Amino acid sequence: MDFFLHEHSFLVFLLQFQNADSTISLTSYFFWMSSTHIGELLLQGPVFIKEPGNSIFPVGSEDKKITFNCEARGNPSPHYRWQLNGSDIDLSLEYRYKLIGGNLVVINPNRNWDIGSYQCFATNSLGTVVSREAKLQFAYLENFKTKMRSTVSVREGQGVVLLCGPPPHSGELSYAWIFNEYPSFVEEDSRRFVSQETGHLYIAKVEPSDVGNYTCVVTSMVTNARVLGSPTPLVLRSDGMKCFKVPVPQINWRRSDGLPFSSKIKLRKFNGILEIPNFQQEDSGSYECIAENSRGKNVARGRLTYYAKPHWVQTIKDIEIAVEDNLYWECRASGKPKPSYRWLKNGEALVLEERIQIENGALTISNLNVTDSGMFQCIAENKHGLVYSSAELKVVASAPDFSRNPMKKLVQVQAGSLVILECKPRASPSAFSFWKKGDRIVQKSERISFLKDSGLKITNVTKADVGSYTCIAENQFGKANGTTRLVVTEPTRITLAPSNMDVSVGESVILPCQVQHDPLLDIMFTWYFNGALTDFKKEGSHFEKVGGSSSGDLMIRNIQLKHSGKYVCMVQTGVDRVSSAADLIVRGSPGPPANVKVVEITDTTAQLSWKEGTDNHSPVISYSVQARTPFSVGWQTVTTVPEVIDGKTHTATVVELNPWVEYEFRVVASNKIGGGEPSLPSEKVRTEEAVPEVPPSEVSGGGGSRSELVITWDPVPEELQNGEGFGYVVAFRPYGVTNWIQTVVTSPDTSRYVFRNESIVPFSRYEVKVGVYNNKGEGPFSPVTAVFSAEEEPAVAPSQVSADSLSSSEIEVSWNAIPWKLSNGHLLGYEVRFWNNSGGEEESSSKVKVSGNETSARLRDLKSNLAYYMAVRAYNSAGTGPFSATVNATTKKTPPSQPPGNVVWNATDNKVLLNWERVKAMENESEVTGYKVFYRTSSQHNVQVLSTNKTSAELLLPIKEDYIIEVKATTDGGDGTSSEQIRIPGITSKLDEANISILTTSVLWTL
């Protein structure tokens, strides 16, 4: 069986079983898509933007119309008409058709009248083009004829086919079967298969569970309508004959030529369907389906043949050509089978005649005339499809015209050079041309020749050639002329050219470029750096043009390594150009060395190697090595062997490293310019372990509790521990004893050790030292230092403790010092604990500490008019002693809250008299015992105080400047609230003194 497939088609093989003998039939489905290439037009004939496409209309659809799209561009705008099956559609039948723009709307489509092929015609004054065909089909699905289906009787183990026989329809269908009743559908498996081509149900091997009623369900893929056939009963035959059970066959596929399947091929439905998506020519050939079981096998073969609808290889393009010329217009398409060609002009078949011929798709028209103009379409077709290519032919006839290609007004050339004066008028047919210089016709000579395109060529130009040249063009439709003036100039010469230079980074240089040129010509200088045009705006911080009108000198400021290279000064005029180049070498400090590696590592050394980096045009003189650890502050220069590394050496050994520390190394190269950028860091490496060499520092101790010896030290930094398993050996002995007591502290971060023993005498002297160790062994001890054991806490309480109330918020406590000997240690001081009677001692007590020799303490910020209880005890580093007997005192009442009122003052030149009202204390306030007058000048901050037990005061003050005065009541509980400030102005003249009794009396009333 042969199959013919389009390129890009989608192929599905369907395998069907028939009865128990496993007869196999092979069918195929295919779909394809196509596109039409439309040439892009540059002129104004109609060109399709949208073309109609195939359509399937569901019969009975709620949508009562179909629209075929058609849109074309052109100038003037095209108008449209349509054909159905080659006949014009009568668009005046508005109840059936409607034209919207170029789109055709078919109203209430009828499958008897409207089915067929539609084409759109777009027309303007330049011609007509016709669209591709669009087919309209109607999809419908009628009901099954209502009649009972015969019972199918089959033996167990046999195969059977239940026929569907779909009703009349149009459009693609899908099939399914109901077993007994809805919605129990037959599930396809290795035994059961539903053909989506015929709708038949194939059961390869009938089992008792298959007995029942089968109903074929047909669904339209377009309308989604569904119809059900009459049930087909399936029963087992009981005629006494025995049927051997035949195993269900296994299905496999292969190519007859033995080639493997491509990865895109898929097998579905238990290998019953072979799918080949995107069918290509390499997929063509013979295929075999093998059905096999224990009783044998059967093979079905089918051949797939590749075909392709036409595809454009060469389309036609718009063309404009002169009258009487000849046209050769070719279109070519590929396809299988090979396409044939036909041509349309303005939507109609092109009429051939003696001067109009078509051969292998190429159109030739000889001796063109204006009536040959129009819209042409080349159609390539084979039995699988067709494609259109559209273009416009314009045949023109015109007199010569220089408006589109005007001649140059002025041509400037250098003496001794060659010049071509162009003459390209637009003319159809081509014009005959000749030249004049002034009034004389130009004749051909050794230096002067005429070109085929009517141009004039002059070689070895001299000053004698200067003048106006006119080209006269003529054909049968008329003539025209154009004039060019020729100017001959002297050549441009560079008088001072840039020269090669050698500079260092940071310097500034000038590359000269000065010229001599014809004064008639404008001159332009441009610089190129390494072949690229210099951008003075972008490089403005470095590059600048300097010099006069005949100079294009280039200044480079703060020159950098990137500025090394070739510089070209280009000098250009309207007729010539000259250039000169120079190499600029910029020398700088070296680039970073590369590939720094640690070759060998020990506990204190590291052998390094590296590769030389760029020397930046100055040889490397020396190298230095830097190192970094997690403990260092940045990169540090390290000691190496050799100590001085010359520029030709690329290895060195770093010494004096710390054991068991992680290091990174980098190398810095230097030349006579200076030090360069450092290399990238090496990989991190750790030096080997070693016995520690540095003991702890700041070994000390003392303090603690009774029977303790406290020893302290500063821990050894991690970078000096030299290995894992680092710890401390603490050694101590009583002063005068020979043997050491030793203990081990395993934590490297520990900074103290406490030895506890009841036999330790308080405040006795010990000799102490601390050593170090790690997994490699023990290191040195620190120097021996003296440490005293813990002191004994004070044993007696202070005596003669007393308390005096000083004010409403202060009480002073005093006592006699306890007896103390230096041999007992250092007495640190005393602690005063105090509380009031509003709570228990422990709940509300506070404390104040004073240093060693002080025997009194002042308690502040207490509550007024409240009894406080106090006890005192001594303390030292070992702890606190017993409390003294408890004493008490009551704070005084608070001072009056009322300030002195009605303050009156009277001032003379040397004194101030003050009077105020008496302050009366309330019941909960302290009685007033007197008053304080606070005064100062307005320019000072130091306050002076005058105390009095009266309600007046006299201040002997020279009134030369302003004074600030306040008055407060005094009580046992402290000073009361201050009166408002009084400002007394100074007296500056005798006139003021004469009026003193009037001007300096004031009263301050306080409410």
Side-chain angles (χ1 to χ4, degrees):
M1 183 180 297
D2 291 339
F3 299 88
F4 299 91
L5 297 180
H6 278 302
E7 180 185 20
H8 305 304
S9 298
F10 179 91
L11 172 66
V12 182
F13 281 136
L14 299 178
L15 176 66
Q16 301 177 347
F17 296 104
Q18 186 173 9
N19 297 323
D21 61 358
S22 300
T23 300
I24 302 171
S25 66
L26 200 61
T27 61
S28 67
Y29 291 95
F30 48 90
F31 309 92
W32 64 91
M33 296 181 65
S34 67
S35 63
T36 301
H37 177 81
I38 301 176
E40 182 181 357
L41 298 180
L42 300 178
L43 299 178
Q44 301 301 315
V47 178
F48 283 116
I49 300 173
K50 293 180 181 178
E51 293 188 71
N54 296 335
S55 180
I56 299 177
F57 184 77
V59 174
S61 170
E62 293 182 359
D63 190 1
K64 300 300 182 182
K65 60 184 179 181
I66 300 173
T67 300
F68 290 101
N69 293 323
C70 182
E71 183 181 355
R73 69 171 184 268
N75 188 16
S77 298
H79 59 271
Y80 303 90
R81 61 186 176 90
W82 284 80
Q83 285 188 353
L84 170 58
N85 298 328
S87 299
D88 286 342
I89 294 176
D90 186 357
L91 296 175
S92 65
L93 303 176
E94 295 184 356
Y95 66 95
R96 294 202 57 209
Y97 305 106
K98 188 175 183 180
L99 193 64
I100 302 176
N103 299 335
L104 175 67
V105 180
V106 182
I107 302 169
N108 294 321
N110 185 291
R111 70 181 184 182
N112 296 319
W113 305 332
D114 297 319
I115 192 169
S117 296
Y118 288 76
Q119 281 186 292
C120 173
F121 291 76
T123 303
N124 68 8
S125 58
L126 297 176
T128 300
V129 288
V130 59
S131 73
R132 65 191 175 203
E133 293 183 353
K135 293 183 178 180
L136 173 61
Q137 296 177 303
F138 288 82
Y140 60 91
L141 175 62
E142 297 183 2
N143 291 320
F144 281 93
K145 294 181 179 179
T146 55
K147 68 176 183 178
M148 297 299 294
R149 299 200 178 201
S150 302
T151 299
V152 177
S153 177
V154 64
R155 295 186 182 93
E156 181 182 354
Q158 281 188 322
V160 69
V161 179
L162 302 183
L163 304 181
C164 178
H169 65 277
S170 176
E172 186 181 356
L173 302 179
S174 68
Y175 299 91
W177 284 80
I178 295 174
F179 178 54
N180 287 330
E181 59 183 29
Y182 181 84
S184 177
F185 285 92
V186 174
E187 294 186 4
E188 295 181 87
D189 53 24
S190 60
R191 287 194 312 114
R192 294 174 291 190
F193 176 81
V194 178
S195 170
Q196 294 301 320
E197 179 183 13
T198 65
H200 300 337
L201 171 62
Y202 296 82
I203 304 177
K205 176 184 174 184
V206 175
E207 296 178 352
S209 60
D210 295 324
V211 173
N213 292 320
Y214 290 83
T215 301
C216 181
V217 181
V218 182
T219 303
S220 171
M221 301 295 286
V222 180
T223 67
N224 290 325
R226 175 184 291 183
V227 295
L228 279 67
S230 299
T232 301
L234 176 66
V235 298
L236 291 180
R237 183 181 300 176
S238 56
D239 54 5
M241 296 185 64
K242 186 176 182 181
C243 179
F244 294 100
K245 294 185 177 180
V246 179
V248 175
Q250 298 295 318
I251 309 300
N252 289 295
W253 292 82
R254 69 188 180 195
R255 290 184 61 132
S256 300
D257 55 13
L259 294 175
F261 285 162
S262 66
S263 59
K264 67 182 179 180
I265 291 181
K266 301 175 183 177
L267 297 175
R268 296 195 300 109
K269 293 193 176 181
F270 302 92
N271 291 0
I273 296 179
L274 174 71
E275 287 184 0
I276 308 178
N278 190 24
F279 188 84
Q280 298 292 322
Q281 186 164 359
E282 59 266 22
D283 297 318
S284 62
S286 180
Y287 287 78
E288 297 179 356
C289 174
I290 302 100
E292 186 174 11
N293 63 13
S294 59
R295 303 293 298 275
K297 69 177 180 179
N298 198 356
V299 179
R301 296 179 177 86
R303 174 174 294 279
L304 298 178
T305 301
Y306 172 84
Y307 69 83
K309 61 183 293 186
H311 285 268
W312 285 120
V313 175
Q314 179 178 336
T315 60
I316 57 175
K317 307 294 183 184
D318 291 346
I319 188 170
E320 183 177 300
I321 194 167
V323 67
E324 299 179 1
D325 280 355
N326 298 325
L327 169 68
Y328 179 80
W329 224 354
E330 183 181 15
C331 61
R332 285 187 293 115
S334 64
K336 191 171 183 181
K338 184 177 179 181
S340 61
Y341 301 91
R342 55 191 173 93
W343 284 75
L344 304 179
K345 178 184 178 184
N346 294 328
E348 304 290 338
L350 181 63
V351 179
L352 302 182
E353 53 186 73
E354 183 178 353
R355 65 187 188 88
I356 302 175
Q357 296 294 323
I358 299 174
E359 183 176 356
N360 295 327
L363 170 65
T364 58
I365 305 177
S366 58
N367 193 25
L368 285 164
N369 58 60
V370 176
T371 60
D372 292 322
S373 298
M375 297 300 301
F376 285 75
Q377 290 178 284
C378 176
I379 303 173
E381 57 188 331
N382 61 18
K383 64 180 180 179
H384 305 298
L386 54 84
V387 288
Y388 288 75
S389 177
S390 303
E392 182 180 356
L393 170 62
K394 279 188 177 180
V395 180
V396 293
S398 63
D401 179 15
F402 284 92
S403 61
R404 292 196 181 182
N405 297 307
M407 294 178 61
K408 292 182 179 179
K409 297 296 183 183
L410 175 66
V411 174
Q412 294 178 322
V413 295
Q414 181 181 330
S417 64
L418 176 148
V419 66
I420 294 177
L421 303 181
E422 292 183 345
C423 178
K424 295 181 179 180
R426 186 181 181 89
S428 296
S430 298
F432 165 76
S433 301
F434 63 95
W435 288 82
K436 283 186 176 183
K437 181 184 178 185
D439 296 329
R440 293 183 297 105
I441 296 177
V442 177
Q443 302 293 333
K444 183 178 179 181
S445 67
E446 290 183 359
R447 293 191 308 110
I448 299 176
S449 58
F450 302 104
L451 304 179
K452 290 182 179 180
D453 63 356
S454 300
L456 176 64
K457 178 180 176 182
I458 306 175
T459 60
N460 193 20
V461 176
T462 68
K463 290 283 188 179
D465 295 319
V466 172
S468 294
Y469 290 79
T470 300
C471 174
I472 298 96
E474 184 176 2
N475 66 10
Q476 65 265 39
F477 298 107
K479 66 179 179 179
N481 62 72
T483 301
T484 296
R485 187 165 66 89
L486 178 64
V487 175
V488 180
T489 61
E490 294 298 325
T492 304
R493 293 185 301 105
I494 295 179
T495 56
L496 182 58
S499 59
N500 297 338
M501 300 184 73
D502 190 325
V503 297
S504 298
V505 168
E507 294 182 6
S508 296
V509 298
I510 292 180
L511 297 178
C513 186
Q514 299 179 13
V515 299
Q516 179 179 342
H517 64 96
D518 193 301
L520 294 177
L521 300 176
D522 292 329
I523 193 167
M524 182 176 67
F525 294 89
T526 53
W527 282 89
Y528 291 85
F529 172 48
N530 291 334
L533 180 65
T534 301
D535 186 343
F536 285 91
K537 289 184 178 179
K538 184 178 179 181
E539 296 289 342
S541 59
H542 293 287
F543 292 167
E544 181 185 357
K545 283 183 182 177
V546 295
S549 60
S550 296
S551 174
D553 297 351
L554 173 64
M555 173 179 281
I556 309 176
R557 293 189 178 89
N558 187 22
I559 204 162
Q560 301 297 311
L561 290 171
K562 65 181 180 180
H563 297 137
S564 290
K566 189 179 192 67
Y567 289 81
V568 177
C569 175
M570 179 73 68
V571 185
Q572 187 170 357
T573 66
V575 299
D576 64 351
R577 65 173 61 184
V578 291
S579 64
S580 181
D583 290 322
L584 182 63
I585 298 175
V586 181
R587 304 188 188 277
S589 55
N595 200 23
V596 177
K597 292 183 178 180
V598 180
V599 179
E600 184 179 353
I601 191 79
T602 69
D603 57 346
T604 60
T605 66
Q607 185 177 350
L608 307 182
S609 69
W610 60 89
K611 293 182 179 179
E612 184 178 4
T614 56
D615 64 5
N616 292 329
H617 308 114
S618 180
V620 175
I621 299 173
S622 64
Y623 292 97
S624 62
V625 179
Q626 297 175 346
R628 179 173 65 181
T629 73
F631 318 107
S632 64
V633 180
W635 291 91
Q636 307 292 329
T637 301
V638 293
T639 305
T640 59
V641 175
E643 184 175 357
V644 177
I645 308 170
D646 63 49
K648 296 182 179 180
T649 302
H650 300 130
T651 61
T653 300
V654 183
V655 297
E656 299 178 8
L657 301 178
N658 290 329
W660 199 241
V661 172
E662 192 176 64
Y663 281 90
E664 293 177 278
F665 299 97
R666 69 182 187 183
V667 180
V668 179
S670 299
N671 59 16
K672 68 177 183 179
I673 307 298
E677 296 181 22
S679 68
L680 293 175
S682 68
E683 292 185 356
K684 293 180 180 180
V685 294
R686 185 181 287 274
T687 50
E688 296 178 352
E689 293 181 285
V691 174
E693 298 177 348
V694 178
S697 60
E698 302 297 328
V699 176
S700 182
S705 302
R706 180 192 290 271
S707 302
E708 288 184 349
L709 175 64
V710 179
I711 303 170
T712 62
W713 62 89
D714 285 349
V716 174
E718 185 180 345
E719 64 266 30
L720 300 178
Q721 293 174 6
N722 290 7
E724 291 187 312
F726 182 84
Y728 302 98
V729 179
V730 181
F732 54 92
R733 63 186 178 188
Y735 185 73
V737 176
T738 304
N739 295 329
W740 292 90
I741 301 171
Q742 291 190 350
T743 186
V744 173
V745 178
T746 58
S747 173
D749 298 325
T750 299
S751 60
R752 75 192 299 263
Y753 171 73
V754 179
F755 176 67
R756 296 180 179 87
N757 195 296
E758 294 297 330
S759 65
I760 294 179
V761 177
F763 205 63
S764 59
R765 181 176 177 179
Y766 280 77
E767 290 181 318
V768 174
K769 62 181 180 180
V770 182
V772 288
Y773 73 94
N774 62 17
N775 290 345
K776 283 290 185 177
E778 293 188 11
F781 278 90
S782 66
V784 176
T785 187
V787 174
F788 285 86
S789 62
E791 303 171 359
E792 186 175 13
E793 63 271 14
V796 297
S799 60
Q800 300 298 318
V801 178
S802 62
D804 294 318
S805 177
L806 301 181
S807 68
S808 61
S809 61
E810 292 182 343
I811 294 176
E812 185 169 80
V813 184
S814 59
W815 60 87
N816 288 343
I818 65 169
W820 189 262
K821 296 180 181 179
L822 288 178
S823 60
N824 294 336
H826 300 288
L827 181 64
L828 297 181
Y830 296 89
E831 176 186 290
V832 179
R833 178 166 291 185
F834 60 97
W835 64 97
N836 58 48
N837 59 3
S838 63
E841 177 182 349
E842 295 299 327
E843 291 79 1
S844 61
S845 65
S846 301
K847 60 184 178 181
V848 172
K849 284 187 176 181
V850 296
S851 58
N853 295 327
E854 295 189 20
T855 57
S856 64
R858 181 167 294 189
L859 309 181
R860 294 181 169 85
D861 299 326
L862 305 178
K863 295 181 180 179
S864 64
N865 197 26
L866 191 61
Y868 281 87
Y869 299 85
M870 292 140 280
V872 185
R873 63 181 175 181
Y875 71 92
N876 64 4
S877 62
T880 56
F883 273 110
S884 68
T886 301
V887 296
N888 65 78
T890 300
T891 53
K892 300 183 182 299
K893 295 180 181 179
T894 57
S897 57
Q898 178 187 359
N902 298 332
V903 180
V904 179
W905 60 268
N906 191 286
T908 64
D909 59 346
N910 58 2
K911 64 181 179 181
V912 175
L913 299 177
L914 296 171
N915 288 278
W916 59 87
E917 290 183 353
R918 183 180 302 276
V919 175
K920 294 180 180 180
M922 300 177 68
E923 184 179 351
N924 61 344
E925 295 176 341
S926 295
E927 290 295 329
V928 176
T929 59
Y931 300 91
K932 291 181 180 178
V933 179
F934 299 84
Y935 60 96
R936 64 177 175 85
T937 63
S938 59
S939 62
Q940 294 180 338
H941 294 288
N942 296 328
V943 178
Q944 300 182 57
V945 181
L946 172 66
S947 298
T948 179
N949 57 5
K950 300 178 181 180
T951 59
S952 63
E954 181 179 300
L955 301 178
L956 300 177
L957 301 174
I959 308 300
K960 299 300 183 184
E961 58 177 307
D962 292 357
Y963 273 87
I964 308 293
I965 298 177
E966 296 177 8
V967 182
K968 293 182 181 180
T970 58
T971 67
D972 290 342
D975 294 341
T977 305
S978 173
S979 67
E980 293 286 341
Q981 285 187 352
I982 302 169
R983 176 179 290 270
I984 301 176
I987 300 173
T988 57
S989 67
K990 290 190 175 183
L991 178 60
D992 292 333
E993 293 179 18
N995 298 319
I996 191 68
S997 61
I998 299 173
L999 300 176
T1000 60
T1001 300
S1002 178
V1003 178
L1004 176 66
W1005 295 90
T1006 303
L1007 299 178

